[in-house]
């Protein structure tokens, strides 16, 4: 039985019923052991949650004014489409990689979040837009003379994770993980089943069943 009719329903279902630990468990069980981004990539607010498609962005350090300020940043932003998640890495994190106007641009283009392996700035102005941003933290230093975008919709690596254009990105207060697009539907179907099973196990434990007995009966803990 199909659990969603289109992409929008799929991502809504992920945000409503799933959480990163259960999806990570399924990925482990399928042999994908390195799908979580580094743990210092955090949401600006603990209630932020995102689910969508990776639009990977590669950045590098620069030193001083450039012939093309920011590199291909504006081009990368302008080609975002519905359900994209801007996912950037590169350089030595000497400045902010995200801010108020980037948030407004991406949000207006119906992208559904940003994940940067670096700093953000304009924190109050980003938060007031009520749109999920994950980063290493806040730092106001400007990027124009310190970094630029050199490519987008390209393969990138963050920590132990390789990310391809169109892979699924799922993030909440417990972290951000990447679901390879080729196995995404299978992962989500198994994760939804496991999440429902965990509710049954919790109810049994709260009803007095021991953890050992619950694991023996349900195979979930």
């Amino acid at each position: 039985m199909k659990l969603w009719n289109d992409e929008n329903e799929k991502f809504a279902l992920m945000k409503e019923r799933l959480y990163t630990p259960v999806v990570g468990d399924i990925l482990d069980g399928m042999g994908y052991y390195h799908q979580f981004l580094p743990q210092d990539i955090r949401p600006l607010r603990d209630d932020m949650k995102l689910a969508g498609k990776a639009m990977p962005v590669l950045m590098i350090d620069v030193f001083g004014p450039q012939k093309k300020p920011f590199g291909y940043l504006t081009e990368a932003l302008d080609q975002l489409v519905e359900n994209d998640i801007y996912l950037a890495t590169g350089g030595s994190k000497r400045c902010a990689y995200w801010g108020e106007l980037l948030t407004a641009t991406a949000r207006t283009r119906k992208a559904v979040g940003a994940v940067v392996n670096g700093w953000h700035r304009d924190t109050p102005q980003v938060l007031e837009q009520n749109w999920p941003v994950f980063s290493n933290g806040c730092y106001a230093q400007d990027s124009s003379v310190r970094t630029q975008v050199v490519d987008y919709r390209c393969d990138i690596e963050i920590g132990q994770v390789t990310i391809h254009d169109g892979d699924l990105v799922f993030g909440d207060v417990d972290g951000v993980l990447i679901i390879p697009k080729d196995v995404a539907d299978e992962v989500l179907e198994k994760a939804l089943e496991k999440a429902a099973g965990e509710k049954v196990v919790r109810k049994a434990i709260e009803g007095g069943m021991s953890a050992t007995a619950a694991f023996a009966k349900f195979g979930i803990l």
Side-chain angles (χ1 to χ4, degrees):
M1 177 181 176
K2 196 169 183 180
L3 300 176
W4 53 81
N5 293 312
D6 56 34
E7 195 174 75
N8 289 329
E9 285 189 9
K10 177 194 295 186
F11 296 135
L13 195 63
M14 289 172 67
K15 289 191 288 185
E16 177 188 353
R17 298 191 190 176
L18 295 180
Y19 38 99
T20 55
V22 74
V23 178
D25 291 352
I26 296 300
L27 287 163
D28 280 349
M30 294 173 62
Y32 295 90
Y33 300 136
H34 305 291
Q35 298 306 123
F36 271 98
L37 302 186
Q39 57 267 44
D40 57 352
I41 297 177
R42 307 287 305 154
L44 270 65
R45 273 199 328 257
D46 285 351
D47 63 344
M48 286 181 169
K49 199 168 186 179
L50 51 75
K53 299 176 296 184
M55 197 288 285
V57 176
L58 181 62
M59 306 180 73
I60 61 168
D61 288 341
V62 296
F63 304 91
Q66 302 295 300
K67 292 179 180 179
K68 185 175 173 57
F70 304 107
Y72 293 101
L73 173 62
T74 58
E75 288 87 346
L77 290 167
D78 286 344
Q79 57 82 58
L80 286 167
V81 297
E82 186 175 10
N83 291 318
D84 273 350
I85 292 175
Y86 185 102
L87 183 53
T89 193
S92 56
K93 306 179 186 179
R94 302 185 303 132
C95 56
Y97 287 4
W98 195 260
E100 175 188 9
L101 298 182
L102 278 67
T103 300
T105 302
R107 179 176 56 82
T108 301
R109 294 194 60 79
K110 297 185 179 181
V112 292
V115 178
V116 296
N117 185 28
W119 314 108
H120 74 274
R121 68 179 197 169
D122 308 324
T123 305
Q125 294 84 3
V126 172
L127 287 172
E128 73 183 11
Q129 297 183 60
N130 195 32
W131 191 82
V133 174
F134 287 58
S135 79
N136 297 140
C138 52
Y139 182 41
Q141 184 145 266
D142 186 42
S143 64
S144 63
V145 295
R146 297 178 180 91
T147 191
Q148 63 178 217
V149 172
V150 293
D151 203 0
Y152 54 90
R153 294 204 182 277
C154 57
D155 293 348
I156 60 173
E157 292 184 4
I158 302 178
Q160 294 183 298
V161 190
T162 300
I163 303 142
H164 307 286
D165 183 36
D167 285 344
L168 267 57
V169 184
F170 187 45
D172 59 21
V173 67
D174 283 327
V176 180
L177 56 75
I178 305 300
I179 307 170
K181 56 188 173 184
D182 292 342
V183 296
D185 286 358
E186 180 182 359
V187 169
L188 297 180
E189 289 167 1
K190 290 180 176 179
L192 288 163
E193 182 179 354
K194 187 174 192 294
E198 287 189 352
K199 293 184 186 300
V200 173
V201 174
R202 175 174 171 176
K203 186 174 181 179
I205 289 172
E206 290 174 341
M209 183 179 287
S210 71
T212 301
F215 183 68
K217 180 174 180 178
F218 300 106
I220 299 174
L221 197 61

